[in-house]
Amino acid sequence: MVLLFVFTINYQLLTVNCAFSAFEDTGFGARAIASGNAFTAAKNSVCSIYYNPAALCTLTQTQIITGYTRLYHGLDDNSNISKINFAIGIPTKKLTIAFGYQNLSLLDTYSEQNMQLGTGIKILKWLNLGLNLKYFTQKYFIENNSYYTGDILFAKGTETKTYDTDFGIYINPFEQFAVGISIVNLLQNEYGLKD
């Protein structure tokens, strides 16, 4: 479980990371990555689905963002490790609905997917609450790879699936002051191959 507190005062960011989840988060969106993923109190970005679902309520119009990244380019074995991101957010007067998708894969060897359905609800003019439902899958492609023949790690299968949820609060009492609180991977479900 990750608990993040981010305070935004005139575009100054202060962060405190209290705990880390089992999932490595490399970030999503140029603004979020540029701020070191301290994005829980940022407004007007569909990327909030990955950082604080309550901040989705600050969207002023429908937003779509997508990206493709080839990681570790130039490896000796010509491995193709890539990450695909996609998010869409549709605001209404009182709430915003968003969908996010991430895929990390090593071509013909491994694939990891993360799908999120999020909503931010405006409770008061200055208070928003948010909730994400997340679905994770992980799959190893070992059928045509003699290296994995007889490996006991894959004795019970090559695929795993799980779900989790995030909760967020976004408080914006003044124009240049916002506080975001996000609790991610609330259920702390295990994600990986089991014995």
Side-chain angles (χ1 to χ4, degrees), residues 53 89 129 146 152 160:
L129 300 179
S146 61
I152 61 169
T160 182

Side-chain angles (χ1 to χ4, degrees), residues 60-184:
T60 57
Q61 60 188 5
T62 299
Q63 288 185 12
I64 299 174
I65 188 169
T66 188
Y68 171 84
T69 306
R70 183 164 177 194
L71 305 171
Y72 311 110
H73 186 71
L75 293 174
D76 290 343
D77 63 354
N78 293 321
S79 296
N80 184 359
I81 304 171
S82 61
K83 186 173 182 180
I84 297 170
N85 297 298
F86 172 81
I88 182 171
I90 303 169
T92 64
K93 189 173 181 178
K94 289 283 186 185
L95 66 96
T96 298
I97 301 289
F99 173 77
Y101 172 81
Q102 292 183 333
N103 181 315
L104 174 69
S105 64
L106 172 58
L107 189 63
D108 299 327
T109 305
Y110 175 77
S111 177
E112 183 177 299
Q113 295 182 22
N114 170 1
M115 290 177 268
Q116 297 187 162
L117 181 61
T119 186
I121 302 169
K122 188 171 284 298
I123 304 298
L124 301 171
K125 185 177 178 180
W126 54 272
L127 175 65
N128 302 331
L129 300 179
L131 182 70
N132 276 345
L133 301 176
K134 303 192 301 187
Y135 179 70
F136 299 101
T137 65
Q138 184 181 50
K139 181 166 177 65
Y140 294 85
F141 304 98
I142 64 169
E143 293 80 21
N144 299 324
N145 193 331
S146 61
Y147 179 78
Y148 296 110
T149 303
D151 193 327
I152 61 169
L153 176 64
F154 302 109
K156 295 187 179 178
T158 59
E159 188 173 357
T160 182
K161 302 172 185 177
T162 192
Y163 58 91
D164 218 316
T165 187
D166 302 338
F167 175 75
I169 301 171
Y170 183 84
I171 302 168
N172 188 208
F174 312 109
E175 180 65 29
Q176 296 296 323
F177 179 81
V179 176
I181 300 170
S182 182
I183 303 171
V184 299

